[in-house]
Every structure is written in structure tokens, then in C-alpha cells.
Amino acid sequence: MNKRNLKLDEYGISNKRFKELSGFCEQYPEWVEELKHKTDTVKSVHVTGMPMAPSQRSDQTAALAVRRAELQERCKLIEQMALQANADLQEYIIRSVCYEEPFWYLRDIRGMPCSQRSFYDYRRYFFYLLDQNKKM
């Protein structure tokens, strides 16, 4: 798919930083799926009959809980920045930046009520907000 980079110079975001933020957003569908399907937090230690050193023991339930909390935080960040960029277009901004749906598809098929220029302005503003709020 041909993707044009947004001109984010006015927001102080370099091309490399934009690629980083874009890559971050493109992982959103994977995170949502993982949160949806990895819900079993009750895990047990695999018993092999061999003694385990304390460093080899792990609390799988805690590790899964930490992973889910991290994923929820990342998803929430993207959703909040889209909401802050434009509450009416939040769904379309997320579809555009996370699922890579093109403008014409959002407008013609999904019925987005916005002009192309306005939408791309809100999309740029979304990346600005994400840049300001995303921890390195």
C-alpha cells in the first residue's frame, strides 16, 4: 500500500519520530486481540520432577496481569489522544492510524462526515498529542 508521510514539521515531529509513532499505532489491533483472547490469568507452574532454582521460578499469573495492564495502558493512550484530537472523529482517526484505512474508504464506505483536508489536520494533531504524551 502506498503511504505518504504526514508533514509534521509545524508540530516539531521529525520523520523518524513520525515513523515510530505510526508503528506504535499500527500495533493497536494486535494489542486489542491479545487483550480479548488472553484472559486466563490462572496459571500453574509446569512440574517436570526436576528441582528448580529460585531464579527459574516465575509467577505466570502476575506476569500476565502486568502484560495486560501494559496493553490496556497503550490502547487507552491511543484512544484518549484520538478523543482529544476530535471527539466526533475518534473512531475514524483510530481506523486511519491503527488499521491503515484510507481516507476515501472512511468517507465513502464508513460514512465519515469530514472533508479530506480537515481530517488530515485532525490526524496530524493526533500525532502531535501522541508525541507529547507517549513516554519514550
Side-chain angles (χ1 to χ4, degrees):
M1 178 192 316
N2 290 338
K3 276 180 64 175
R4 268 188 358 195
N5 289 336
L6 292 176
K7 300 287 186 203
L8 294 166
D9 298 335
E10 66 189 68
Y11 291 113
I13 300 174
S14 69
N15 193 30
K16 300 283 185 192
R17 178 67 173 163
F18 168 71
K19 287 180 183 178
E20 177 189 343
L21 295 171
S22 182
F24 178 79
C25 291
E26 289 168 6
Q27 295 175 67
Y28 178 85
E30 296 170 16
W31 298 334
V32 170
E33 282 300 308
E34 190 173 338
L35 284 169
K36 199 182 300 181
H37 296 294
K38 284 196 175 181
T39 57
D40 184 16
T41 58
V42 179
K43 301 282 183 182
S44 63
V45 176
H46 182 67
V47 179
T48 62
M50 298 297 293
M52 294 175 71
S55 63
Q56 292 176 327
R57 295 182 192 140
S58 67
D59 186 355
Q60 293 182 3
T61 302
L64 183 57
V66 168
R67 172 73 177 161
R68 286 182 56 82
E70 289 172 354
L71 294 178
Q72 287 172 337
E73 187 177 316
R74 292 175 188 170
C75 290
K76 186 177 176 182
L77 175 67
I78 290 173
E79 292 162 2
Q80 285 180 338
M81 295 306 102
L83 180 67
Q84 203 171 337
N86 187 310
D88 296 332
L89 299 176
Q90 176 189 17
E91 170 193 348
Y92 303 109
I93 292 170
I94 290 173
R95 299 294 275 151
S96 175
V97 300
C98 298
Y99 294 89
E100 301 181 87
E101 291 182 359
F103 171 79
W104 67 266
Y105 182 82
L106 295 171
R107 182 193 62 210
D108 297 344
I109 307 300
R110 295 208 177 259
M112 179 174 60
C114 186
S115 71
Q116 185 172 4
R117 183 176 187 104
S118 295
F119 178 71
Y120 284 127
D121 286 343
Y122 290 123
R123 192 168 179 248
R124 277 189 288 275
Y125 186 55
F126 164 82
F127 279 111
Y128 167 74
L129 293 171
L130 187 61
D131 180 51
Q132 297 298 310
N133 292 285
K134 183 181 175 291
K135 298 173 186 117
M136 294 289 170

